[in-house]
Amino acid sequence: MGSRPTDLDIFLSTKFTHLVIGGGTAGLVVATRLSEHPNLVVGVLEAGNPAYDEPRINIPGRFGETLGTEYDWQFATVPQPGLNEHQSLNHSYHDDKFHGTDGPVHTAYSSLYGASHRYWHETLQKLGVSTNRSHFSGSNVGAWTSLTTVEPERRERSYSATAYYRPHSGRKNLVVLPGATAESVLLDQNNQGEWVAKGARFTRQGQSHEIHVQGEVIVCAGSVQSPQLLELSGIGNPAILKAAGVEVKVDNPAVGENLQEHMMTCMVYEIDPSIPTVEELRTDPTLAAAADEEYSTSRSGLRTTIPSSKI
C-alpha cells in the first residue's frame, strides 16, 4: 500500500479557483465566506501553525504574553523623528448602528476591571477629557472603555480562526496549508500585455513550491508583508525594485508607502500592594496557579481581565 498523501500533497494537487495569501484576521474571513459558494475552491497559504488551544492566545488575562514569542513577527521600524528608540509593531459604550449585533466574532466588555479603571472616566473628566460613548463610530477621541473580542460565556478570545474557519474547516472546497510562507505572487502576461496573478511561490519546511490558481489571488498578508510580497513579485516603485534586483512588472510607486501605525503610550504607576493585578500573575507562581484554577472552574477572576482603559 502506498503512503497516505500529506497536507502538502493535497494542497498542491487541488485545483483552486481562489488563493488567499495569509490566514489571519482578514484572510480567513475572506476564504471562509468565499467557500460558502460550492462552485468555488479556496486555498489559503498561512505562515503560522494552528494554535487553537494555546492559553496565551485564548485567555484574555494573558494578553501580551505572545509578544516576542514564536507567535510574533517581531517587526521594528527604522528610527523615527521624535522617538529615541525603535517602535514595535503589533496584533465603554457602543452604538449598534456602528457596531452591529450579530456575526461569528463575539464581543464583550470585561467582566472584571482593575481598581484604577473604576476611577478612569471620572478622573479624566475632571481633567477636561470627555467620555466617548461610541468609540467604534469613526472617532475614538476621548476616554473610553474598550470593547473586547471575547466570547462572553466562556470568556475566551474570539477571532477569525475560531469564529470563521474552525466551524467550517471540514468543507471540501476550503483548504488551508499552515507553515507555508509566501515568497511571491506568480504573474503571467496576457494577450494585451497586462500582468495577471496566476498563483504563488511559497516555502514550507525549507522547500520551495508553486501553486497555480484558475481565478484570483487575494493578498491578505498584513499591512507590512502585503506590500513586501507585491514588491518581491515585481509590483511597486521601479527605483526600489531595481535597487533590490527585482524585475519590474507593474510600475506602482504607491506600493509600500504611507503606512501610518497608530501610536500607543502606556502609563506605568505604582498602586497599593494590597490590590491584586494581572501583572502579579507573571511574577507570583502561587497567585498565577490560583487564578488559573478560578478561570478553569468558573471563568472568572484576574484571567478574564484585559486592558480596557483607553484615551
Side-chain angles (χ1 to χ4, degrees), residues 112-124:
L112 178 69
Y113 294 101
S116 61
H117 185 78
R118 298 170 191 171
Y119 306 103
W120 180 250
H121 292 276
E122 180 183 355
T123 300
L124 287 169

Side-chain angles (χ1 to χ4, degrees), residues 165-227:
Y165 171 67
R166 199 174 193 182
H168 306 291
S169 58
R171 288 178 180 168
K172 300 298 184 182
N173 66 334
L174 176 59
V175 186
V176 175
L177 184 66
T181 302
E183 294 180 319
S184 64
V185 177
L186 300 176
L187 301 173
D188 289 338
Q189 277 186 304
N190 60 19
N191 294 333
Q192 290 74 44
E194 299 171 325
W195 290 98
V196 180
K198 290 295 184 180
R201 181 178 295 108
F202 66 93
T203 56
R204 191 171 195 250
Q205 298 178 346
Q207 299 295 316
S208 182
H209 307 275
E210 290 186 359
I211 184 70
H212 295 267
V213 62
Q214 299 170 353
E216 298 182 7
V217 176
I218 304 166
V219 179
C220 292
S223 57
V224 174
Q225 287 164 298
S226 288

Side-chain angles (χ1 to χ4, degrees), residues 106-291:
H106 294 273
T107 58
Y109 288 106
S110 291
S111 57
L112 178 69
Y113 294 101
S116 61
H117 185 78
R118 298 170 191 171
Y119 306 103
W120 180 250
H121 292 276
E122 180 183 355
T123 300
L124 287 169
Q125 286 172 3
K126 290 180 179 179
L127 295 173
V129 180
S130 300
T131 291
N132 185 335
R133 292 176 176 267
S134 187
H135 62 279
F136 279 106
S137 64
S139 172
N140 60 1
V141 175
W144 37 280
T145 299
S146 180
L147 194 64
T148 64
T149 50
V150 171
E151 201 286 323
E153 299 298 326
R154 296 191 306 273
R155 287 291 159 182
E156 292 181 352
R157 182 188 175 204
S158 179
Y159 62 113
S160 59
T162 57
Y164 277 89
Y165 171 67
R166 199 174 193 182
H168 306 291
S169 58
R171 288 178 180 168
K172 300 298 184 182
N173 66 334
L174 176 59
V175 186
V176 175
L177 184 66
T181 302
E183 294 180 319
S184 64
V185 177
L186 300 176
L187 301 173
D188 289 338
Q189 277 186 304
N190 60 19
N191 294 333
Q192 290 74 44
E194 299 171 325
W195 290 98
V196 180
K198 290 295 184 180
R201 181 178 295 108
F202 66 93
T203 56
R204 191 171 195 250
Q205 298 178 346
Q207 299 295 316
S208 182
H209 307 275
E210 290 186 359
I211 184 70
H212 295 267
V213 62
Q214 299 170 353
E216 298 182 7
V217 176
I218 304 166
V219 179
C220 292
S223 57
V224 174
Q225 287 164 298
S226 288
Q228 178 195 40
L229 187 62
L230 293 177
E231 290 177 328
L232 291 172
S233 307
I235 304 171
N237 186 326
I240 294 175
L241 299 186
K242 290 176 181 178
V246 177
E247 178 188 356
V248 179
K249 296 180 178 178
V250 178
D251 181 342
N252 188 337
V255 173
E257 301 298 324
N258 302 314
L259 171 65
Q260 297 183 37
E261 170 67 354
H262 63 278
M263 297 293 292
M264 182 174 73
T265 302
C266 297
M267 291 181 289
V268 180
Y269 49 87
E270 293 184 6
I271 65 171
D272 189 321
S274 65
I275 300 174
T277 66
V278 174
E279 285 70 26
E280 290 182 75
L281 304 184
R282 299 173 183 173
T283 58
D284 188 330
T286 301
L287 188 60

